[in-house]
Amino acid sequence: DCDVRIINFGMSNIMQLHSSQAESPKFDERWYRSPEYLGNGRSKMELNNHKLDSWGVGCILFEMILKKPIFTGSNYLDQFNQIYNTLGTPNNLEWIKSTECKIWHESLDVRPKKDIKEMIKGKFTEEESQDLQHCVDLLEALLKI
């Protein structure tokens, strides 16, 4: 069975065993949100949209390979910048419904897409070269804007 189940604990608090105070989570769930979500907000997106889930799985797969999160924006604009610095700027902006977000996107310089294979090839052995290409194909399919 190849089902993937991911639970969003982003709104949870981390509790210390001997303390009654909650800590802030050690990650920001913004890092796993699709550009479509970032550009439109929760109120305008279907919560069970498969593109949102696919994007999150792609971010997690990238993180598992690199052993660190791939897009670690400190705010929404920084998150977009980090995504576009890696995946290039999108040509089509029809997916953006927010007027302010669309204006900001239209002001961006065009950024080229980085070679995902080059980014992750050091994490695979020579014997795993076929696995490397399958992984690149999967990441490119999951992290499609």
Side-chain angles (χ1 to χ4, degrees):
D1 194 10
C2 293
D3 290 345
V4 175
R5 292 187 178 97
I6 297 174
I7 299 171
N8 180 356
F9 288 111
M11 300 303 288
S12 301
N13 290 318
I14 299 169
M15 299 293 289
Q16 294 180 0
L17 287 176
H18 302 292
S19 172
S20 61
Q21 290 188 320
E23 293 182 11
S24 297
K26 302 294 185 207
F27 71 95
D28 191 330
E29 69 181 82
R30 172 187 329 106
W31 298 351
Y32 305 92
R33 288 188 174 162
S34 70
E36 292 87 352
Y37 185 99
L38 296 170
N40 294 305
R42 180 182 201 155
S43 63
K44 296 177 184 162
M45 292 293 294
E46 294 178 28
L47 294 179
N48 293 323
N49 184 321
H50 74 280
K51 288 187 89 170
L52 302 180
D53 297 336
S54 297
W55 182 272
V57 170
C59 291
I60 291 168
L61 178 58
F62 231 134
E63 184 172 340
M64 290 170 62
I65 294 166
L66 297 177
K67 309 265 192 267
K68 64 180 183 176
I70 183 70
F71 307 122
T72 57
S74 58
N75 57 52
Y76 281 89
L77 296 181
D78 187 38
Q79 187 69 16
F80 275 123
N81 279 316
Q82 290 199 24
I83 291 168
Y84 298 157
N85 286 340
T86 301
L87 301 178
T89 47
N91 296 324
N92 181 348
L93 300 178
E94 290 179 21
W95 53 271
I96 302 173
K97 305 299 180 215
S98 164
T99 304
E100 296 85 9
C101 189
K102 192 171 273 193
I103 291 169
W104 181 80
H105 274 78
E106 290 168 347
S107 73
L108 293 175
D109 292 330
V110 175
R111 299 176 206 172
K113 180 180 178 210
K114 289 186 180 174
D115 186 344
I116 291 177
K117 190 171 190 174
E118 287 297 314
M119 292 175 69
I120 66 172
K121 74 178 185 181
K123 304 295 182 179
F124 291 79
T125 66
E126 190 76 30
E127 296 80 30
E128 297 170 327
S129 62
Q130 186 175 7
D131 296 334
L132 169 61
Q133 189 56 53
H134 290 307
C135 195
V136 169
D137 294 342
L138 180 57
L139 284 169
E140 288 183 347
L142 292 170
L143 297 176
K144 188 176 262 184
I145 300 174

